[in-house]
Amino acid sequence: MLMSQAAQRKPGPGGARGPWESARIVETPLANRLTLASMFVFLAKIGNLPHLGHFEIGKIMIGLSVLALLFEGGGWKEGLLSHPVMRAYIGLFFMGLMTIPISIWPGGSARFLFGNYLKDMVLVVLLIVTTRTPKDVRRMLWTIIINTLILDAVLLHYGDNKITIVHLGKNEIAMTSVIAFGMLLGLPVSGFGIIFKWLSGIMLVFATFMSVSRGSYLGIAAVLMLYMYLRFGRRAGLAMVGGVLVALALVVGAYEFGPPKVHHAVDTLVHIQKDYNLTARTGRIAIWKRGLKIIQAHPLGVGMRNFPIAEGHIVEDVIGERWMDAHNALLEVTAELGILGGIVFLTLLKRGIQTANHLRKNTSHRDMSRIGLSLVLALCAYFVTALFLSEAYAVILYIQMGAIIAADRVYRYMTMREGHVVSRPGA
């Protein structure tokens, strides 16, 4: 076991010893590996492949991870519940719980909260408490990237009309690909890892363009521009121009050499006034307006996963245009969990980006700074793509939050062992 020597060190601010100074870190290699393996079920959805769906692989993997954690000593729990990002995450769960009685469909909300959402929370907590070193954090990010590459392979093999085999749509896979691309840009590599990083990046970008998800096109551009800005510092203007040029080169290349569906997607971005999203009743603008009406009529929320039902009632006199998803994560969560739920969701995102950016700015540990950069870029990817998708409860978002919490805890423990006091952003 690796034991903290913090008891012999000076107290934290105010003379009190905090959880970082008295932390007892237990080695849990088996639980960590099993938890990372579980991600292939939760994120890559391999449990949905033919002949595997009846075996409940996800529950089996999580059960094995929990048993391994208990056997190896329980992991590293100190300070977890007091972490500002974790508090916001738990707050979102309680908002879902509180809205069940007033839900339009209480049974559906309860089933989603205790089935999908709570199961994802267990995975996230396992990821956090079994992560102890920068190497563990890097391993987690690479596992996310490899999971995404599997999804991309499924998308490219089956096509965007037949990917129900993994119970994900092309837009969701594209969003995950942009997030993984952001993570990949910041990760430090050497040797063969450089080649693998380049090949992975090409695969992620190619799959994103083949998905014809225009929100993800914008996400790729935003991630590239932010990366250039953060990497080149004072030469921000030149960096932004470089990012724009790289993004334009990717779009032009996709347009020139891609199939007709990619041409059409790029055309609608250039000639946006012709896009159905601006004019049709099934377009995003019309749906967003109806979503605002839902919030106005139900400020306390309509319940998790009940937006399509509420939206269907608003246009119940129209055949063929009902039961639409929100196509905007913030609108989705605010309509379903109420205005307070929307505030909690924004708080979660704000604290996540603050924590990741604080990690990126540290000057004492370069490796952790690059990990912070990866996490900032990944959250930027989510911010942009989720503006156009109903992905407020996407497992990839909460896995990101788990990675941010884990990386922050590891960094704080490292600095405490070195005798430094680290302020906490977003507290």
Side-chain angles (χ1 to χ4, degrees), residues 170-171 174-175 178 208 211-222 265 268-269 277 284 380-389:
K170 61 184 180 67
N171 291 326
M175 179 188 76
V178 180
T208 299
S211 74
V212 297
S213 171
R214 292 163 295 178
S216 295
Y217 291 1
L218 297 177
I220 287 283
T268 56
L269 282 175
N277 280 304
R284 281 175 168 81
C380 169
Y382 176 81
F383 288 155
V384 175
T385 53
L387 290 174
F388 309 98
L389 296 173

Side-chain angles (χ1 to χ4, degrees), residues 293-416:
K293 290 181 180 179
I294 294 173
I295 296 172
Q296 184 179 14
H298 304 275
L300 298 180
V302 297
M304 270 187 169
R305 285 303 192 210
N306 281 347
F307 183 97
I309 301 174
E311 193 273 346
H313 288 313
I314 288 178
V315 290
E316 58 185 359
D317 58 319
V318 180
I319 299 176
E321 297 181 358
R322 300 169 61 183
W323 326 117
M324 305 292 290
D325 287 321
H327 293 288
N328 180 285
L330 180 58
L331 182 66
E332 176 188 24
V333 76
T334 305
E336 294 184 350
L337 302 185
I339 295 174
L340 182 58
I343 294 173
V344 174
F345 183 71
L346 284 176
T347 301
L348 174 68
L349 298 180
K350 176 187 174 184
R351 290 180 177 179
I353 196 68
Q354 283 179 330
T355 303
N357 198 43
H358 184 268
L359 191 64
R360 179 188 69 83
K361 289 181 177 180
N362 93 82
T363 57
S364 57
H365 296 280
R366 176 174 170 78
D367 198 22
M368 295 304 293
S369 178
R370 292 297 300 272
I371 288 173
L373 174 62
S374 290
L375 295 170
V376 168
L377 293 173
L379 266 187
C380 169
Y382 176 81
F383 288 155
V384 175
T385 53
L387 290 174
F388 309 98
L389 296 173
S390 304
E391 292 297 317
Y393 316 117
V395 66
I396 182 61
L397 169 62
Y398 302 107
I399 288 175
Q400 284 184 83
M401 292 300 171
I404 289 171
I405 296 170
D408 185 52
R409 283 158 54 85
V410 167
Y411 168 64
R412 290 175 186 284
Y413 179 70
M414 291 166 60
T415 54
M416 285 297 177

